[in-house]
Amino acid sequence: MSNKPALLGLLGALPLLGSLPALADTDGQQLYRQHCVKCHAADGRANTMRGWLYFAQNLSKAKWQDNTSDNDILEAIQEGPGAMPGYADKLSETEQLALVRAVRDLRKP
């Protein structure tokens, strides 16, 4: 009995496995502190002077987290809604994805 499908699946996954160390090495929390805290605050509640001034999104709200997809967050990081700057040209794709995970970690009940 041949295990060709399993072997082909494993070979197809190898490129993805190669990118895992890059994702693990990217500190999304540090990127959040560097680029987002000024407006969104360390806890994501946007209760900073700049957050109030620029109507920054409260990233910790469970309802917002539930109604916002990872793709929506990624698009906001890349394009920058409202007064927020876009980071498509400033952060690598790996850094952008790490930042999405960091935003997800801000969820409060």
Side-chain angles (χ1 to χ4, degrees), residues 28-39:
Q29 299 299 326
Q30 188 276 329
L31 288 167
Y32 180 83
R33 287 188 301 272
Q34 181 181 352
H35 298 287
C36 310
V37 165
K38 291 177 269 187
C39 295

Side-chain angles (χ1 to χ4, degrees), residues 36-102:
C36 310
V37 165
K38 291 177 269 187
C39 295
H40 294 285
D43 62 2
R45 294 178 192 252
N47 57 354
T48 66
M49 183 60 74
R50 287 180 78 160
W52 291 323
L53 250 166
Y54 296 116
F55 303 101
Q57 177 62 51
N58 179 343
L59 304 174
S60 69
K61 281 186 169 182
K63 185 175 181 176
W64 180 84
Q65 289 270 350
D66 291 343
N67 293 326
T68 306
S69 70
D70 287 354
N71 196 48
D72 291 338
I73 297 170
L74 183 60
E75 187 176 306
I77 291 167
Q78 292 171 340
E79 296 177 16
M84 180 178 148
Y87 291 94
D89 297 333
K90 298 173 186 153
L91 299 175
S92 70
E93 183 178 335
T94 301
E95 290 170 322
Q96 292 172 31
L97 294 174
L99 203 45
V100 170
R101 285 193 312 277

